[in-house]
């Protein structure tokens, strides 16, 4: 195999506090690793409580300063639009950093950067359109509502789409006029730090977008606990989300939770089976299956089961695998921990009596064995009560569950604690819409799983979260409503 293209990544990437690139107060550094090889990639500061305090204090001051608080909405819009433009201009470098840091294939890394830019473009267009309302009272009174920022918003994101998720929260928060302190995941901090630098270039005042790198239980927790943080946006696992929500509850601070999923995709015999096969292939290969809303439970009508399994096997036979910089269809998982988790679930599934029709282990080829590569794995003979059918695996693993009636499909689809997304594939649009009404999921895709974009609100039912990111819904999320009543 030919060597991957040459890449240049600086050894150390300082974090961004108060407009300056700084090390941690402790002087300690954390190493990030390339998941394709397991080798060290770069170092970032091990930020902790003192660094979070510096970042939040600077954000608080910058939020109150006239350069931000008195800046006209259209001027805020221009800075955010410029940031979107700078992200696009920097797409090659950012995508390379994202790919080396997260393992995702470079074309997926590029798409993630473009999507991050779209968040800034989209929300820039909204800055000067955040309107309130006038409420009818009586001849002597007038009442109006206004949407106001909270102040400092703490944003904590995971490693699976680092830049994209940072932009998803930061762009609407800044649009409303908040200041942001961003804490990227310890595995993938590099693009977040670069976002902080580009924000300064775009004209955001120093302190308005700070980036503190560090461990979750140190920097992340300190951010959630900081008394000047007035709102929290958390994306990550249910376990950590629960901890964050408890701390936020003690502080009476609102928190948005974007958590995990175990989404169901319901396939009827009249579906476009080419589209179904393409969708399953994407579920298993995109980001190596490490997508919160991935349709990891494939509910297939018994009459279509053989056809669907044949088509999936044909599609998976063409999957190319390799380091992200070679742009294969399937890259590695993020870490040894994640590799152990996914292989552990494959063992659990086998012990529970499910059968693997394809995959079932890691890749052991010479050029892949040092990285965290797992074969796309399809389980059949899965029953809804198995652990593999209920727990989030977060890798290229799909469970196939047959059904015969719409009610049975719904019972299985709604039968987990999660409720992030769901899909229905059928040419009978009435049936699809009737199912959509009864599916317990924040997004339902009909005949194209993962359609939509920055415009479409996203978030979970049940344990998949609280609140909505994306679209105009996020503006309400990052603003608080004030009612002013005037005696005339
Ligand atoms: P995680 O919960 O372990 O970590 C997420 C972030 O929280 C990281 O930045 C981490 O440093 C930080 N953190 C850890 N402990 C903390 C603490 N005590 N206080 C504050 N912050 C802390 O999640 P992960 O393993 O990085 O990410 C995978 C999970 O994220 C999956 O469950 C996936 O489904 C979910 N996810 C959800 C969405 C969504 O939009 N709903 C998107 C992507 C990923």
């Amino acid at each position: 195999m030919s060597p991957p293209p040459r890449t240049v990544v600086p050894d150390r990437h300082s974090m961004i506090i108060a407009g300056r690139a700084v090390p941690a107060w402790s002087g300690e550094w954390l190493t990030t690793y390339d998941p394709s090889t397991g080798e060290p990639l770069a170092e970032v500061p091990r930020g902790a409580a003192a660094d979070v305090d510096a970042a939040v204090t600077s954000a608080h001051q910058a939020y109150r300063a006239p350069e931000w608080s008195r800046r006209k909405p259209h001027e805020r819009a221009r800075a955010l639009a410029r940031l979107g433009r700078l992200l696009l201009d920097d797409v090659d470098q950012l995508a390379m950093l994202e790919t080396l840091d997260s393992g995702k294939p470079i074309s997926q890394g590029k798409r993630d950067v473009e999507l991050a830019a779209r968040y800034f473009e989209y929300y820039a267009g909204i800055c000067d359109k955040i309107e309130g309302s006038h409420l009818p009272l009586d001849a002597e009174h007038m009442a109006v509502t206004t949407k106001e920022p909270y102040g400092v918003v703490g944003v904590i994101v995971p490693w699976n789409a680092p830049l994209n998720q940072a932009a998803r929260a930061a762009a609407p928060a800044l649009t409303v006029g908040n200041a942001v302190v961003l804490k990227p995941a310890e595995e993938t901090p590099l693009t977040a730090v670069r976002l902080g630098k580009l924000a300064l270039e775009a004209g955001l005042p120093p302190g308005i977008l700070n980036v503190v790198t560090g461990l979750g239980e140190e920097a992340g927790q300190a951010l959630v606990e900081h008394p000047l943080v007035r709102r929290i946006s958390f994306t990550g696992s249910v376990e950590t989300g629960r901890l964050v929500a408890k701390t936020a509850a003690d502080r009476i601070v609102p928190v948005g939770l974007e958590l995990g999923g175990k989404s169901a995709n319901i396939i009827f015999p009249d579906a476009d089976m080419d589209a179904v096969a393409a969708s399953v292939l994407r579920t298993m290969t995109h980001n190596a299956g490490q997508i919160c809303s991935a349709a990891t439970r494939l509910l297939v009508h018994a009459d279509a089961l053989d056809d669907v399994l044949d088509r999936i096997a044909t599609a998976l036979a063409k999957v190319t695998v390799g380091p992200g910089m070679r742009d294969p269809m399937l890259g590695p998982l993020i870490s040894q921990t994640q590799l152990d988790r996914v292989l552990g679930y494959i063992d659990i599934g086998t012990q529970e009596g499910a059968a693997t029709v394809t995959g079932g282990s890691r890749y052991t080829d010479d050029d892949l064995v040092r990285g965290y590569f797992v074969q796309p794995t399809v389980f059949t003979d899965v029953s809804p009560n198995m652990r593999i059918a209920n727990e989030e695996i977060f890798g290229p693993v799909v469970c196939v569950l047959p059904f015969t009636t719409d009610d049975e499909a719904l019972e299985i689809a709604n039968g987990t604690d999660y409720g992030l997304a769901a899909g229905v594939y059928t040419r009978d649009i009435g049936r699809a819409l009737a199912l959509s009404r009864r599916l317990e999921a924040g997004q339902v895709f009909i005949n194209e799983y993962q359609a939509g974009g920055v415009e479409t609100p996203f978030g979970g039912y049940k344990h998949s979260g609280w609140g909505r990111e994306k679209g105009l819904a996020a503006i309400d999320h990052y603003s608080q409503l004030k009612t002013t009543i005037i005696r005339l």
Side-chain angles (χ1 to χ4, degrees):
M1 192 183 284
S2 60
R6 276 178 67 81
T7 52
V8 183
V9 177
D11 295 341
R12 285 191 162 171
H13 300 241
S14 298
M15 55 190 173
I16 306 293
I17 296 179
R20 289 193 305 277
V22 292
W25 188 81
S26 66
E28 290 184 55
W29 296 82
L30 294 172
T31 305
T32 78
Y33 296 86
D34 177 351
S36 296
T37 61
E39 285 172 8
L41 175 65
E43 289 186 322
V44 293
R46 181 175 175 167
D51 307 285
V52 167
D53 184 49
V56 174
T57 304
S58 105
H60 183 66
Q61 286 164 356
Y63 164 72
R64 292 189 159 187
E67 292 79 27
W68 188 245
S69 60
R70 298 182 66 83
R71 193 177 273 206
K72 289 182 180 160
H74 74 267
E75 290 167 352
R76 206 160 64 226
R78 282 185 190 143
L80 294 177
R82 266 198 302 276
L83 180 50
R85 185 71 251 163
L86 289 177
L87 289 171
L88 288 179
D89 291 347
D90 200 35
V91 62
D92 291 335
Q93 179 73 12
L94 280 164
M96 180 195 78
L97 289 176
E98 200 79 311
T99 287
L100 291 173
D101 219 9
S102 71
K104 67 180 63 194
I106 186 78
S107 55
Q108 293 175 25
K110 278 192 179 153
R111 272 203 297 280
D112 278 9
V113 178
E114 283 159 10
L115 196 51
R118 274 290 293 136
Y119 282 114
F120 287 101
E121 289 168 357
Y122 173 82
Y123 286 108
I126 294 169
C127 279
D128 53 0
K129 299 166 197 75
I130 301 175
E131 297 176 350
S133 58
H134 166 244
L135 313 174
L137 287 180
D138 54 41
E140 284 80 40
H141 296 88
M142 185 174 168
V144 291
T145 61
T146 43
K147 292 180 185 170
E148 300 191 345
Y150 281 94
V152 181
V153 175
V155 173
I156 299 175
V157 294
W159 42 258
N160 65 328
L163 181 67
N164 181 341
Q165 280 147 359
R168 186 178 77 176
L174 295 168
T175 294
V176 175
N178 298 287
V180 169
V181 177
L182 167 65
K183 210 298 279 174
E186 36 275 62
E187 295 86 351
T188 53
L190 302 186
T191 48
V193 169
R194 200 162 173 89
L195 174 69
K197 284 186 192 147
L198 293 176
L200 293 166
E201 267 181 53
L204 292 184
I208 285 296
L209 176 55
N210 302 276
V211 183
V212 179
T213 53
L215 301 176
E217 58 275 26
E218 295 178 356
Q221 195 164 328
L223 185 58
V224 180
E225 288 172 351
H226 199 290
L228 289 176
V229 172
R230 299 275 184 239
R231 202 196 194 296
I232 293 155
S233 162
F234 175 82
T235 306
S237 63
V238 173
E239 297 73 31
T240 315
R242 194 174 275 129
L243 277 178
V244 166
K246 282 182 182 164
T247 308
D250 282 343
R251 296 190 46 229
I252 321 284
V253 165
V255 54
L257 296 177
E258 291 285 345
L259 308 178
K262 191 76 186 176
S263 301
N265 197 0
I266 305 172
I267 314 299
F268 287 93
D270 65 344
D272 173 347
M273 290 302 174
D274 289 336
V276 170
S279 163
V280 178
L281 180 65
R282 188 177 141 84
T283 289
M284 302 191 76
T285 55
H286 191 75
N287 214 24
Q290 302 165 117
I291 302 279
C292 51
S293 53
T296 51
R297 292 183 300 149
L298 198 64
L299 276 49
V300 185
H301 192 281
D303 293 347
L305 192 57
D306 291 343
D307 185 20
V308 168
L309 288 176
D310 279 353
R311 285 170 190 261
I312 294 175
T314 307
L316 288 178
K318 296 184 191 129
V319 168
T320 55
V321 192
M325 289 304 290
R326 287 209 189 99
D327 205 24
M329 291 163 77
L330 179 70
L333 299 175
I334 185 72
S335 62
Q336 184 67 46
T337 308
Q338 195 61 19
L339 178 70
D340 293 343
R341 176 189 170 97
V342 172
L343 293 177
Y345 270 110
I346 292 175
D347 277 351
I348 289 168
T350 310
Q351 283 160 25
E352 286 180 311
T356 46
V357 290
T358 170
S361 53
R362 71 183 296 181
Y363 285 95
T364 50
D365 318 41
D366 287 348
D367 56 329
L368 301 179
V369 76
R370 287 181 309 134
Y372 312 121
F373 295 90
V374 172
Q375 297 170 346
T377 300
V378 177
F379 273 115
T380 55
D381 298 337
V382 179
S383 61
N385 59 349
M386 289 180 180
R387 281 184 65 189
I388 55 164
N390 285 278
E391 297 173 19
E392 187 182 46
I393 298 173
F394 224 50
V397 181
V398 160
C399 295
V400 178
L401 296 110
F403 71 90
T404 47
T405 67
D406 295 26
D407 282 348
E408 190 189 356
L410 271 170
E411 196 181 320
I412 300 171
N414 291 339
T416 76
D417 288 337
Y418 291 108
L420 195 52
V424 182
Y425 277 73
T426 174
R427 288 188 162 84
D428 181 344
I429 196 68
R431 172 183 245 170
L433 290 174
L435 284 168
S436 172
R437 277 194 177 169
R438 295 168 66 198
L439 280 164
E440 296 169 355
Q443 282 206 330
V444 178
F445 303 105
I446 297 174
N447 291 330
E448 189 191 322
Y449 204 88
Q450 303 284 31
V454 304
E455 307 84 353
T456 47
F458 181 83
Y461 279 28
K462 305 194 285 188
H463 288 192
S464 290
W466 289 338
R468 294 292 175 266
E469 298 284 4
K470 302 171 55 165
L472 294 177
I475 294 298
D476 291 336
H477 207 61
Y478 290 104
S479 59
Q480 44 194 346
L481 197 66
K482 178 177 283 175
T483 308
T484 306
I485 303 136
I486 310 126
R487 185 178 168 84
L488 300 175

Coordinates of all heavy atoms in Angstrom, one line a residue, residues 156-161 165 168 183-187 214-222 224 234-241 243-244 257-261 290-293 338 341 392 394 418 420 458-460 464 469, ligand 1:
I156 N -19.8 22.0 25.7 CA -19.0 20.7 25.8 C -19.4 19.8 24.7 O -20.5 19.5 24.6 CB -19.2 20.1 27.2 CG1 -18.8 21.1 28.3 CG2 -18.4 18.8 27.4 CD1 -19.1 20.6 29.7
V157 N -18.4 19.3 24.0 CA -18.7 18.5 22.8 C -17.8 17.2 22.9 O -16.8 17.1 23.5 CB -18.4 19.2 21.5 CG1 -19.4 20.4 21.3 CG2 -17.0 19.7 21.4
P158 N -18.3 16.1 22.2 CA -17.6 14.9 22.1 C -16.7 14.8 20.9 O -16.4 15.8 20.3 CB -18.7 13.9 21.9 CG -19.8 14.6 21.1 CD -19.6 16.0 21.5
W159 N -16.2 13.6 20.6 CA -15.1 13.5 19.6 C -15.6 13.0 18.3 O -14.8 12.9 17.4 CB -14.0 12.5 20.1 CG -14.7 11.2 20.8 CD1 -14.7 11.0 22.1 CD2 -15.3 10.1 20.2 NE1 -15.4 9.8 22.4 CE2 -15.7 9.2 21.2 CE3 -15.5 9.7 18.8 CZ2 -16.4 8.0 20.9 CZ3 -16.2 8.5 18.6 CH2 -16.6 7.7 19.6
N160 N -16.8 12.7 18.1 CA -17.2 12.1 16.8 C -17.3 13.1 15.6 O -17.1 12.7 14.5 CB -18.4 11.2 17.0 CG -19.7 11.9 17.3 OD1 -19.6 12.9 18.0 ND2 -20.8 11.4 16.8
A161 N -17.8 14.3 15.9 CA -17.8 15.3 14.9 C -17.4 16.7 15.5 O -18.2 17.6 15.7 CB -19.2 15.4 14.3
Q165 N -19.9 19.9 15.7 CA -20.7 20.0 16.9 C -20.4 21.3 17.7 O -21.2 21.9 18.3 CB -20.5 18.8 17.8 CG -21.4 17.6 17.4 CD -20.8 16.3 17.6 OE1 -19.7 16.2 18.2 NE2 -21.5 15.3 17.2
R168 N -22.2 23.9 15.8 CA -23.6 23.7 15.9 C -24.1 24.4 17.2 O -25.2 25.0 17.2 CB -23.9 22.2 16.0 CG -25.4 21.9 16.1 CD -25.6 20.4 16.1 NE -25.3 19.8 17.4 CZ -25.5 18.5 17.7 NH1 -26.0 17.7 16.8 NH2 -25.3 18.1 19.0
K183 N -15.3 23.6 25.4 CA -14.4 22.5 25.9 C -14.6 21.3 24.9 O -15.5 20.6 24.9 CB -14.9 22.1 27.3 CG -13.8 21.6 28.2 CD -13.1 20.4 27.7 CE -13.8 19.1 28.0 NZ -13.2 17.9 27.4
P184 N -13.6 21.2 24.0 CA -13.6 20.0 23.1 C -13.3 18.7 23.9 O -12.8 18.7 25.0 CB -12.6 20.3 22.1 CG -11.6 21.2 22.8 CD -12.4 22.0 23.8
A185 N -13.5 17.6 23.2 CA -13.2 16.3 23.8 C -11.7 16.2 23.9 O -11.0 16.7 23.0 CB -13.8 15.2 23.0
E186 N -11.2 15.4 24.9 CA -9.7 15.3 25.0 C -9.1 14.5 23.8 O -8.0 14.7 23.5 CB -9.4 14.6 26.3 CG -10.3 13.5 26.8 CD -11.5 14.0 27.6 OE1 -12.3 14.8 27.0 OE2 -11.6 13.6 28.8
E187 N -9.9 13.7 23.1 CA -9.4 12.9 22.0 C -9.2 13.8 20.8 O -8.4 13.5 19.9 CB -10.4 11.8 21.6 CG -10.5 10.7 22.7 CD -11.6 11.0 23.7 OE1 -12.1 12.2 23.8 OE2 -11.9 10.1 24.5
G214 N -8.7 20.0 27.7 CA -8.5 19.4 28.9 C -9.4 18.2 29.1 O -10.2 17.8 28.2
L215 N -9.3 17.5 30.3 CA -10.1 16.3 30.5 C -11.5 16.7 31.0 O -11.7 17.8 31.6 CB -9.4 15.5 31.7 CG -8.0 15.1 31.4 CD1 -7.4 14.4 32.6 CD2 -8.0 14.1 30.2
G216 N -12.4 15.8 30.7 CA -13.8 16.1 31.1 C -14.0 16.3 32.6 O -14.7 17.2 33.0
E217 N -13.4 15.4 33.4 CA -13.6 15.5 34.8 C -12.9 16.7 35.4 O -13.1 17.0 36.6 CB -13.3 14.2 35.5 CG -11.9 13.7 35.3 CD -11.6 12.9 34.1 OE1 -12.4 13.1 33.1 OE2 -10.7 12.1 34.1
E218 N -12.0 17.3 34.7 CA -11.3 18.5 35.2 C -11.9 19.8 34.5 O -12.7 20.5 35.1 CB -9.8 18.4 34.9 CG -9.1 17.2 35.7 CD -7.6 17.1 35.4 OE1 -7.1 17.8 34.6 OE2 -7.1 16.2 36.1
A219 N -11.5 20.0 33.3 CA -11.9 21.2 32.6 C -13.5 21.2 32.4 O -14.1 22.2 32.6 CB -11.2 21.4 31.3
G220 N -14.0 20.1 32.0 CA -15.4 20.0 31.7 C -16.3 20.3 32.9 O -17.2 21.1 32.9
Q221 N -15.9 19.6 34.0 CA -16.7 19.7 35.2 C -16.5 21.2 35.8 O -17.5 21.8 36.2 CB -16.2 18.7 36.3 CG -17.1 18.6 37.4 CD -16.9 17.4 38.2 OE1 -16.4 16.3 37.7 NE2 -17.1 17.4 39.5
A222 N -15.3 21.7 35.7 CA -15.1 23.1 36.2 C -16.0 24.1 35.4 O -16.5 25.1 36.0 CB -13.6 23.5 36.1
V224 N -18.9 23.4 34.0 CA -20.3 23.3 34.4 C -20.5 23.9 35.8 O -21.6 24.5 36.1 CB -20.7 21.8 34.4 CG1 -22.2 21.6 34.9 CG2 -20.5 21.2 33.0
F234 N -24.5 20.6 26.3 CA -23.7 19.4 26.4 C -24.0 18.4 25.3 O -25.2 18.1 25.2 CB -23.9 18.8 27.8 CG -23.1 17.5 27.9 CD1 -21.8 17.4 28.2 CD2 -23.8 16.2 27.7 CE1 -21.1 16.2 28.3 CE2 -23.1 15.0 27.7 CZ -21.7 15.0 28.0
T235 N -23.1 17.9 24.6 CA -23.2 16.8 23.7 C -22.3 15.7 24.1 O -21.1 15.9 24.3 CB -22.9 17.3 22.2 OG1 -23.7 18.4 21.9 CG2 -23.3 16.2 21.2
G236 N -22.9 14.5 24.3 CA -22.0 13.4 24.7 C -22.9 12.2 25.2 O -24.0 12.1 24.7
S237 N -22.4 11.4 26.1 CA -23.0 10.2 26.5 C -24.1 10.5 27.5 O -24.1 11.5 28.2 CB -22.0 9.3 27.1 OG -21.4 9.8 28.2
V238 N -25.0 9.6 27.7 CA -26.1 9.7 28.7 C -25.5 9.8 30.1 O -25.9 10.6 30.9 CB -27.1 8.5 28.6 CG1 -28.1 8.5 29.8 CG2 -27.8 8.5 27.3
E239 N -24.4 9.0 30.4 CA -23.8 8.9 31.7 C -23.3 10.3 32.1 O -23.6 10.9 33.2 CB -22.7 7.9 31.8 CG -23.1 6.5 31.5 CD -23.4 6.2 30.1 OE1 -22.8 6.8 29.2 OE2 -24.2 5.3 29.8
T240 N -22.5 10.9 31.2 CA -22.0 12.2 31.5 C -23.1 13.3 31.5 O -23.1 14.2 32.3 CB -20.8 12.6 30.5 OG1 -20.0 11.5 30.3 CG2 -20.0 13.8 31.0
G241 N -24.0 13.2 30.6 CA -25.1 14.1 30.5 C -25.9 14.2 31.8 O -26.3 15.2 32.3
L243 N -24.7 13.5 34.8 CA -23.8 14.2 35.8 C -23.9 15.7 35.6 O -24.1 16.5 36.5 CB -22.4 13.8 35.6 CG -21.8 12.6 36.2 CD1 -20.3 12.4 35.8 CD2 -21.9 12.7 37.7
V244 N -23.8 16.1 34.3 CA -23.8 17.6 34.0 C -25.2 18.1 34.4 O -25.3 19.2 35.0 CB -23.6 17.7 32.4 CG1 -23.9 19.1 32.0 CG2 -22.1 17.4 32.1
L257 N -29.1 19.0 26.4 CA -28.5 17.7 26.4 C -28.7 17.1 25.0 O -29.8 16.8 24.6 CB -29.0 16.8 27.5 CG -28.8 17.3 28.9 CD1 -29.4 16.3 29.9 CD2 -27.3 17.4 29.2
E258 N -27.6 16.8 24.3 CA -27.7 16.1 23.0 C -26.9 14.8 23.3 O -25.7 14.7 23.3 CB -27.0 16.9 21.9 CG -27.7 18.1 21.5 CD -28.9 17.8 20.7 OE1 -29.1 16.7 20.2 OE2 -29.8 18.8 20.5
L259 N -27.7 13.7 23.5 CA -27.1 12.5 24.0 C -27.1 11.3 23.0 O -27.3 11.6 21.8 CB -27.7 12.1 25.3 CG -27.8 13.2 26.4 CD1 -28.5 12.8 27.6 CD2 -26.4 13.7 26.7
G260 N -27.0 10.1 23.4 CA -26.9 9.0 22.5 C -28.2 8.5 21.9 O -29.2 9.1 22.1
G261 N -28.1 7.5 21.1 CA -29.2 6.9 20.4 C -29.1 5.5 20.1 O -28.1 4.8 20.2
Q290 N -19.8 5.8 14.2 CA -19.8 6.6 15.4 C -20.6 7.8 15.2 O -20.1 9.0 15.3 CB -18.4 6.9 15.9 CG -17.5 5.6 16.0 CD -16.0 6.0 16.1 OE1 -15.4 5.8 17.1 NE2 -15.5 6.5 15.0
I291 N -21.9 7.7 15.0 CA -22.9 8.8 14.8 C -24.0 8.5 15.7 O -24.6 7.5 15.8 CB -23.4 8.7 13.3 CG1 -22.3 8.8 12.3 CG2 -24.5 9.8 13.1 CD1 -21.7 10.2 12.0
C292 N -24.4 9.6 16.5 CA -25.4 9.4 17.5 C -26.7 9.0 17.0 O -27.4 8.2 17.6 CB -25.5 10.8 18.3 SG -25.8 12.2 17.2
S293 N -27.1 9.5 15.8 CA -28.4 9.2 15.2 C -28.4 8.1 14.2 O -29.3 7.8 13.5 CB -28.9 10.5 14.5 OG -28.0 11.0 13.6
Q338 N -12.7 2.7 22.6 CA -13.9 2.5 21.8 C -13.8 1.1 21.1 O -14.8 0.4 20.9 CB -14.0 3.6 20.8 CG -15.3 3.8 20.1 CD -16.5 4.0 21.1 OE1 -16.3 4.4 22.2 NE2 -17.7 3.6 20.6
R341 N -14.8 -1.5 23.5 CA -16.2 -1.4 23.7 C -17.0 -2.1 22.6 O -17.9 -2.9 22.8 CB -16.6 0.1 23.8 CG -18.1 0.3 24.0 CD -18.4 1.8 23.8 NE -19.8 2.1 23.7 CZ -20.6 2.4 24.7 NH1 -20.1 2.6 25.9 NH2 -21.9 2.6 24.6
E392 N -26.4 1.5 23.2 CA -25.6 2.2 22.2 C -24.2 1.6 22.0 O -23.5 1.6 23.0 CB -25.5 3.7 22.4 CG -24.9 4.5 21.3 CD -24.8 5.9 21.6 OE1 -24.3 6.3 22.7 OE2 -25.1 6.8 20.7
F394 N -22.0 2.3 19.2 CA -21.2 3.4 18.7 C -20.0 2.9 17.8 O -18.9 3.1 18.1 CB -20.7 4.3 19.8 CG -20.9 5.8 19.4 CD1 -22.1 6.3 18.9 CD2 -19.8 6.7 19.6 CE1 -22.2 7.6 18.6 CE2 -20.0 8.0 19.2 CZ -21.2 8.5 18.8
Y418 N -33.9 5.2 24.4 CA -33.5 6.3 23.5 C -34.6 6.8 22.6 O -35.6 6.1 22.5 CB -32.3 5.8 22.6 CG -31.0 5.6 23.4 CD1 -30.5 4.3 23.6 CD2 -30.3 6.6 23.9 CE1 -29.3 4.0 24.3 CE2 -29.1 6.4 24.6 CZ -28.6 5.1 24.8 OH -27.4 4.9 25.4
L420 N -33.7 9.3 19.6 CA -33.0 10.4 18.9 C -33.6 10.6 17.5 O -34.0 11.6 17.1 CB -31.5 10.2 18.9 CG -30.6 11.4 18.4 CD1 -31.0 12.6 19.3 CD2 -29.2 11.1 18.6
F458 N -32.9 19.5 15.7 CA -32.4 18.2 16.0 C -32.2 18.0 17.5 O -31.8 18.9 18.2 CB -31.0 18.0 15.3 CG -30.3 16.7 15.6 CD1 -30.6 15.6 14.8 CD2 -29.4 16.5 16.6 CE1 -30.1 14.4 15.0 CE2 -28.8 15.3 16.8 CZ -29.2 14.2 16.0
G459 N -32.6 16.9 18.0 CA -32.5 16.6 19.4 C -33.3 15.4 19.8 O -34.0 14.8 18.9
G460 N -33.3 15.0 21.1 CA -33.8 13.7 21.4 C -35.1 13.7 22.2 O -35.4 14.6 23.0
S464 N -32.4 10.4 25.0 CA -31.5 11.0 24.0 C -31.3 12.5 24.2 O -30.5 13.1 23.5 CB -32.0 10.7 22.6 OG -31.9 9.3 22.3
E469 N -31.0 21.5 19.0 CA -30.0 22.3 18.3 C -30.5 22.4 16.8 O -31.4 21.8 16.4 CB -28.7 21.5 18.3 CG -28.1 21.3 19.7 CD -27.4 22.6 20.3 OE1 -27.5 23.7 19.7 OE2 -26.9 22.5 21.4
Ligands
LIG1 P1 -18.6 11.7 26.9 O1 -19.9 11.9 27.6 O2 -17.7 10.7 27.5 O3 -17.8 13.0 26.6 C1 -18.4 14.1 26.0 C2 -17.7 15.4 26.5 O4 -18.0 15.5 27.9 C3 -16.2 15.4 26.3 O5 -15.8 16.7 26.0 C4 -15.7 15.1 27.7 O6 -14.4 15.6 28.0 C5 -16.7 15.8 28.6 N1 -16.9 15.3 30.0 C6 -16.6 14.1 30.5 N2 -16.8 14.0 31.8 C7 -17.3 15.2 32.1 C8 -17.8 15.8 33.4 N3 -17.8 15.1 34.5 N4 -18.2 17.1 33.3 C9 -18.3 17.8 32.2 N5 -17.8 17.3 31.0 C10 -17.3 16.0 31.0 O7 -19.1 11.2 25.4 P2 -18.2 10.7 24.2 O8 -17.8 9.3 24.5 O9 -17.1 11.7 24.0 O10 -19.2 10.8 23.0 C11 -20.0 9.8 22.5 C12 -21.4 10.0 22.9 O11 -21.9 11.2 22.5 C13 -22.3 9.0 22.4 O12 -23.2 8.5 23.3 C14 -23.0 9.7 21.3 O13 -24.3 9.2 20.9 C15 -23.1 11.1 21.9 N6 -23.4 12.1 20.8 C16 -24.6 12.7 20.8 C17 -24.8 13.6 19.8 C18 -26.2 14.4 19.6 O14 -26.2 15.4 18.9 N7 -27.2 13.9 20.3 C19 -23.8 13.9 18.8 C20 -22.6 13.3 18.9 C21 -22.4 12.3 19.9

